[in-house]
Amino acid sequence: DAGITQSPRHKVTETGTPVTLRCHQTENHRYMYWYRQDPGHGLRLIHYSYGVKDTDKGEVSDGYSVSRSKTEDFLLTLESATSSQTSVYFCAISELTGGLYEQYFGPGTRLTVT
Amino acid sequence: AQTVTQSQPEMSVQEAETVTLSCTYDTSESDYYLFWYKQPPSRQMILVIRQEAYKQQNATENRFSVNFQKAAKSFSLKISDSQLGDAAMYFCAYRSMYSGGGADGLTFGKGTHLIIQP
């Protein structure tokens, strides 16, 4: 399972509240990602990281920020949660396998913003 | 920007039969990677199979195989001898080869819900 954990696994929060989701990996992977999954949209990339303190935006980054102060942790923050951010959030890592990078996913966090 | 299209929101197949899930993509790049992921009700995303665009040979993993048609930008997944455990959402995904190392994220299709009839 590539040693990826996400916390919390479920969270309910109110509109306007700050929320931080944590992704933790134990295998020293360089590349880490945050995606969101919504019905009818598949998974969409929010932000990704290519090393400690090195991050970049993905397709749907508005309203989200990320930080990576240690190799093993990649944090996703919703500064002021909105109902449109109700979603399932997946963290992923890239692992070099047979000459190409494959992405492996954590178990997901279901976030509900009321 | 690349796009991935899965035109079948839902497919149904009898147990032990063969089913093919469709995926098309749009890109201006000549080299890239394609993947199929499975998402069972547990919600875990599981990598099923991958294909490098520069390889003409279609990838195969046990009962799962792909039909990769580069000129048509088509990447279908064939599941042979369908089993009840194959029931899941299946997502097709694209990744550029031109990113720095493994940095680029995946572009996903919207998924196909596969139902296995016993």
Side-chain angles (χ1 to χ4, degrees):
Chain A
D1 64 358
I4 307 167
T5 58
Q6 293 184 230
S7 59
R9 294 292 312 279
H10 299 87
K11 185 171 183 65
V12 179
T13 192
E14 294 185 347
T15 297
T17 303
V19 176
T20 295
L21 308 183
R22 180 185 185 230
C23 177
H24 180 76
Q25 53 113 344
T26 59
E27 298 182 7
N28 206 36
H29 295 293
R30 177 182 176 187
Y31 304 108
M32 298 183 74
Y33 310 81
W34 278 108
Y35 293 85
R36 61 178 288 175
Q37 183 178 23
D38 305 292
H41 284 280
L43 279 78
R44 291 179 291 174
L45 182 66
I46 305 171
H47 281 279
Y48 63 96
S49 170
Y50 45 97
V52 173
K53 297 185 180 177
D54 291 324
T55 64
D56 207 346
K57 296 179 180 180
E59 177 189 355
V60 290
S61 60
D62 287 350
Y64 302 94
S65 62
V66 290
S67 65
R68 193 168 178 201
S69 59
K70 305 186 285 186
T71 298
E72 58 265 36
D73 289 326
F74 191 32
L75 303 180
L76 176 71
T77 298
L78 292 64
E79 300 289 350
S80 178
T82 68
S83 58
S84 64
Q85 294 176 311
T86 292
S87 188
V88 178
Y89 291 86
F90 286 95
C91 174
I93 59 91
S94 262
E95 183 174 271
L96 188 60
T97 305
L100 76 85
Y101 282 93
E102 296 178 341
Q103 288 194 14
Y104 295 91
F105 289 79
T109 293
R110 180 177 294 279
L111 175 67
T112 302
V113 183
T114 61
Chain B
Q2 296 79 26
T3 58
V4 176
T5 301
Q6 295 179 247
S7 59
Q8 307 153 314
E10 187 172 280
M11 293 280 287
S12 181
V13 64
Q14 291 290 129
E15 192 176 3
E17 294 189 347
T18 295
V19 63
T20 298
L21 308 184
S22 300
C23 172
T24 59
Y25 56 93
D26 187 26
T27 184
S28 59
E29 299 175 339
S30 58
D31 291 314
Y32 44 87
Y33 305 109
L34 296 164
F35 305 88
W36 278 97
Y37 282 86
K38 170 185 178 181
Q39 186 179 42
S42 67
R43 205 168 65 199
Q44 181 68 49
M45 293 289 289
I46 301 166
L47 178 60
V48 174
I49 199 166
R50 72 184 202 189
Q51 175 78 43
E52 294 97 317
Y54 58 85
K55 290 186 177 179
Q56 293 188 336
Q57 186 173 5
N58 290 322
T60 299
E61 289 286 344
N62 301 312
R63 297 183 295 107
F64 297 87
S65 61
V66 299
N67 183 5
F68 173 49
Q69 301 289 329
K70 190 173 183 180
K73 296 181 181 176
S74 172
F75 182 60
S76 59
L77 175 69
K78 185 172 83 171
I79 306 174
S80 303
D81 185 26
S82 298
Q83 300 175 1
L84 294 177
D86 295 333
M89 284 292 291
Y90 285 82
F91 292 95
C92 179
Y94 173 104
R95 189 171 83 78
S96 172
M97 186 183 276
Y98 297 108
S99 63
D104 261 9
L106 297 170
T107 299
F108 284 87
K110 295 181 178 182
T112 296
H113 181 211
L114 179 63
I115 298 168
I116 310 295
Q117 304 278 7

